[in-house]
Structures are given as C-alpha cells and as structure tokens.
Amino acid sequence: MSLPGAPGAAAPHEVGGSRGPAGPGRGVTALLVGLFSLVVVAAGLTFVPLPYVVLSPGPATNILGSVDGQPVLAVEGVETFPTDGALDFTTVAFDGGPGREVTVYDLLGAAFRPEVEVRPEELYFPPDASEEEVEAENAELMNDSQTVAAATALRALGRDVPTVVQIAEVAPDGPAAGTVEQGDVVLQVDGSPVGDAGAVADAVQDRSPGDDVNLRVRRDGAERTLTVPTGDVEGRAVIGVFLRTDYDLPVQVTLNTGRVGGPSAGLMFTLAIYDSLTPGALTGGERIAGTGTIADDGTVGPISGIRQKLVGAREAGAEWFLAPVDDCADAEGAVPDGMEVFEVGTFEEARAAVEAIAAGDTGGLTRCG
C-alpha cells in the first residue's frame, strides 16, 4: 500500500487532460515518512533495556507502628514498654537491574524530576546476577542487619550478647566439603575457643598448607570434633568455607519489613528496639527518620540513595533525619524544606541525637546537607 503522493502512486487528474488539484509534494511525503519512522523507532525503544538504574524516593515506615494490622517490631522474652512518636526507616525505589528493565522513556522521565537519579547498573548489581539471586542477597543482608541491631540495642542496655561463628557456605570443591556443613557453629579451632569469624580465619592460617585442623562445632544441638585438611591459596592455609559472625540473642526480635531488603535500616532498627526496651518514648513523640547500616561495634555506616531517602522521609511527615557522617556530602543541597538533618557516626551518637530532638535542644548537634 502506497502513501498518497509516494513514489508509485498516480497523481489524480480530470478527463480531457486538464490537471486537477495537486497531490502532496515530495517535501510533505518526506515529512510523513520521517514522522512514521520516528514513531516506529520510539515504539522500538520502549522494549530496549538500558544498563542503568533509576533511583527515586521510596516509602518511609514507622518501626514503632503497624503495617496491615501487624506490628512492625515485636520483641519477646523480655519486658517491653509502650512508646510514642515515630522512628522511620527509609527506602529507595529501584528501577533497573535484573528483572527490572529501564528504557529510554524511564531516563527521559527521570530528567524532569530533580529527586530522581540515574546511575550505571554495574554500580549496584554484579554481572549476570539473576533477580532471584539479588533478592536472596538483599533478604540476607536485611536479616543480618536486624540481628546486629538487636545485639547492639541489648548491649547498650548492659545485656550480655555472646557472638557465635557460623559456617555460611562450604565451597563444593574445597578441603572442608563433605565434612563441614552449612549452619555448623564453630566453637574451637585446635582446642582454642573462637569468638568471631576473624579469629577462626587467623587460627586456620596459623597452620601450614596441607596440615589438618580440628574444628569443634555444634550441629543440630550436639557438639562434635571434625578433622579438616587445609588447602593452599597463595601460601596460606585455607579450608574452603565462608564464615559469618552471628549472635546468641537472649530475646527474640521480629521485624515485619515486607519485601524491603538490604542493610541500610540497621541504625533505625537499633533505635526502635532500644526504645521498646526502655520506659517512656525515646522520641518524645516526634517523628524522626533516618538511615545507615549498623556494625557489631555500633558504628553507623554509609548507604546509597541519601537524596531519595530525604525526600521520602519528608513526604511521610518527618521533620528530623539522622544521616551517616559519610553521606553528608551527598545530602548537600538536597534537604527538603521543613527538615533538619543531623550527622551520626555511632549508635550512641544517634541515641543522643534522638534524645536532644525529644528535649527540643538540638543546638549541640552537627547538621549536614
């Protein structure tokens, strides 16, 4: 089928040879063809994935509140106290990455929203990672952050929280394969007690490659001694396992966070757990949001998406925000109107900041952004 006036279409004329109204000229034809081509190309671009991620503000959730009628935080095995106010953990909405393709339209839309950022996909996801692998890793990081948060809060209250070293993974072709199992808790190496993953690694590497190592482990509630040969990696003795430091918590802490993953809510989890275990409202009834990972020593670590989290927190009604020290530079110029942002480097600093906000005395706090 030819377009009117396109090559091969007969120009209309009247019988008798007199010329009738002229058909579209070549310029109009070229324009129509060009527009048609643009439509085809634009439609095609809708289905072309691009190697970027689009970061936009995600929801903020009050850990002291409820979601769908279920409390976000539940602590069992110890006395808890009623509280007030809000401690919000903040999120970033990701478009892109495994299972979430980004197209040119997404990038064009992001260009008109100052709170949205576009970043290379490789900064956030390893090559060839599947959607299932990414979700599993994020879920594990979230679970780990909750456990460290509970341990940190309990220790701040003077409770003893012993650490345990657990086998997170056994290399299928490593020396320990077939002897050590995932989930084993390592109690001793060659008769010496070990308290964290670093101590286990150091004890193994004190041996010469090829030597046997005796591991005392707890499996399914029973203790046993395993003899494991060591392998050689660049002159170091190894047994081919991946370790994680876990905690023997004296209470049970449950956090209902839905499908949110990653470690960046650790700080706010710690504050909320601490609040629930102490009389009165830590926040003084204020709505305080924040972000930051939490480490075993109480250090608050940096996260990604601080600019988006600030916007999401303000949209949820928070007027105060706690940010990791290392993220303050990224927050520069992005603090929403009506919000104050304070930098924190440890849990103790964060707790002091919340108490200062509750008391209405924030003059001594360090602002960022």
Side-chain angles (χ1 to χ4, degrees), residues 163-166 186 193-202 243-246 296:
T163 57
V164 295
V165 183
Q166 195 169 47
V186 182
V194 288
D196 56 44
V200 174
D202 290 342
L243 304 168
R244 57 178 288 180
T245 300
D246 211 336
D296 179 65

Side-chain angles (χ1 to χ4, degrees), residues 263-275:
S264 65
L267 169 63
M268 301 310 292
F269 289 157
T270 309
L271 288 166
I273 295 168
Y274 181 91
D275 189 11

Side-chain angles (χ1 to χ4, degrees), residues 16-78:
S18 64
R19 202 171 174 87
R26 291 186 177 180
V28 175
T29 299
L31 177 61
L32 291 173
V33 171
L35 289 173
F36 180 75
S37 299
L38 285 174
V39 170
V40 172
V41 171
L45 288 175
T46 304
F47 303 100
V48 177
L50 300 174
Y52 297 97
V53 293
V54 178
L55 283 64
S56 56
T61 301
N62 177 19
I63 309 169
L64 304 178
S66 300
V67 174
D68 297 329
Q70 298 294 321
V72 176
L73 170 65
V75 182
E76 300 177 37
V78 68

Side-chain angles (χ1 to χ4, degrees), residues 15-238:
V15 176
S18 64
R19 202 171 174 87
R26 291 186 177 180
V28 175
T29 299
L31 177 61
L32 291 173
V33 171
L35 289 173
F36 180 75
S37 299
L38 285 174
V39 170
V40 172
V41 171
L45 288 175
T46 304
F47 303 100
V48 177
L50 300 174
Y52 297 97
V53 293
V54 178
L55 283 64
S56 56
T61 301
N62 177 19
I63 309 169
L64 304 178
S66 300
V67 174
D68 297 329
Q70 298 294 321
V72 176
L73 170 65
V75 182
E76 300 177 37
V78 68
E79 183 181 10
T80 58
F81 300 89
T83 187
D84 195 8
L87 288 168
D88 291 345
F89 77 86
T90 50
T91 61
V92 177
F94 269 83
D95 286 319
R100 301 175 183 177
E101 296 178 345
V102 167
T103 68
V104 67
Y105 285 116
D106 297 311
L107 302 188
L108 289 173
F112 294 97
R113 298 178 60 193
E115 75 277 16
V116 175
E117 292 183 80
V118 177
R119 297 288 188 87
E121 184 181 70
E122 63 188 21
L123 295 179
Y124 297 91
F125 303 101
D128 303 322
S130 68
E131 183 177 8
E132 293 75 17
E133 289 171 337
V134 170
E135 288 187 354
E137 181 179 2
N138 282 334
E140 183 175 356
L141 290 171
M142 170 63 84
N143 289 334
D144 288 347
S145 73
Q146 294 175 3
T147 303
V148 178
T152 303
L154 288 166
R155 286 172 174 169
L157 292 168
R159 298 290 296 270
D160 181 35
V161 183
T163 57
V164 295
V165 183
Q166 195 169 47
I167 304 295
E169 186 178 347
V170 181
D173 56 350
T179 303
V180 177
E181 294 184 5
Q182 182 179 2
D184 285 350
V185 174
V186 182
L187 306 173
Q188 299 176 356
V189 178
D190 288 332
S192 298
V194 288
D196 56 44
V200 174
D202 290 342
V204 170
Q205 291 174 13
D206 280 344
R207 313 293 290 178
S208 298
D211 290 347
D212 288 342
V213 172
N214 293 317
L215 301 181
R216 185 71 175 173
V217 305
R218 184 170 63 242
R219 181 187 301 171
D220 299 328
E223 294 186 13
R224 65 189 71 191
T225 299
L226 310 174
T227 300
V228 183
T230 59
D232 186 349
V233 174
E234 298 179 351
R236 295 181 294 110
V238 298

